[in-house]
Amino acid sequence: KESLMSAIRVMNASGVFGSEKESKKAMAVLKHEWANEAEKDPDSLAAQLSRMVTKELFHTHEMNAKTAFLLQNHIRNITFLEGSCSVNNVALLSARACLFLEKENSSSADQPTDEGGKQASGPRYEAIDYEPDDEDSKFKTAVAAQVEVLYDVTQEFIVEKSSSTNERDGKSEEESFADQSKDDSSSSSSQSPETESKQTTIVSVATFEGWLKGGPDNELRWKLALHRPAFEFPGIEQSY
């Protein structure tokens, strides 16, 4: 988060935001905590996402979204076309189960905290690779599963076309944006920028985790724990 705030200050100093209002808007987006929104409003998008993914992936998505806001919205306008996302093919890559044992109550100082710094509630479990003995019988056991799924998803974006003049001049997109910002400060145009629709298909691997027996929720609830490129298939185009 501190790195992103430093990036905002650098971009603001170089005139990327164009105005102090845009800079304040970017700072507001960065300071907005998704975890706080999820806690205050159970029906918010942040709350819905928190119920579908693990805490670690939730935090990763938040940082990625804020980084994308800084880069895409102020260098080149790229807008995701809502409703265009479509999963085409799915294949099971792997599946495994693991036995967990409920841990003894630890002191409050040893209890993990959530994203907001609060003490995490509920029982804690530890993975074991042995058969529970008589001493462990006083503790509850649980079984968790993890599956890996290969899939490809198609998405559509609306992209603001780059000026053909800039291409002829051989300028990079960043240089063109800087020039455009200077021109916009002295004159304004009533014409909307020309856009084009682009479609892309991404091949990835999704990892889902869930409790088959027991667990903190005592019910089967799959959560997305990770999504990554399909490294094990080098012949597959990751994006096309």
Side-chain angles (χ1 to χ4, degrees), residues 132-183:
D133 53 26
D134 294 337
E135 187 178 343
D136 296 326
S137 61
K138 60 182 178 180
F139 300 111
K140 293 180 180 179
T141 58
V143 178
Q146 184 184 79
V147 296
E148 286 187 316
V149 176
L150 176 70
Y151 70 98
D152 66 289
V153 58
T154 300
Q155 313 168 78
E156 192 171 343
F157 298 87
I158 302 300
V159 183
E160 187 175 307
K161 281 187 177 181
S162 57
S163 172
S164 58
T165 304
N166 294 331
E167 294 175 1
R168 289 195 302 268
D169 293 343
K171 294 183 179 180
S172 67
E173 197 167 324
E174 289 78 4
E175 291 172 328
S176 301
F177 182 88
D179 292 343
Q180 183 181 352
S181 298
K182 294 176 182 177
D183 293 339

Side-chain angles (χ1 to χ4, degrees), residues 15-62:
V16 171
F17 291 111
S19 68
E20 185 179 351
K21 182 179 179 181
E22 286 295 317
S23 176
K24 289 182 177 179
K25 179 181 177 181
M27 290 294 290
V29 169
L30 184 57
K31 290 181 178 180
H32 178 70
E33 297 292 342
W34 289 14
N36 293 340
E37 180 183 347
E39 185 178 357
K40 293 177 182 177
D41 184 4
D43 296 325
S44 65
L45 291 178
Q48 294 178 44
L49 179 63
S50 68
R51 293 192 290 268
M52 293 188 289
V53 302
T54 60
K55 290 182 180 179
E56 295 78 10
L57 189 58
F58 181 84
H59 181 67
T60 299
H61 273 310
E62 181 178 10

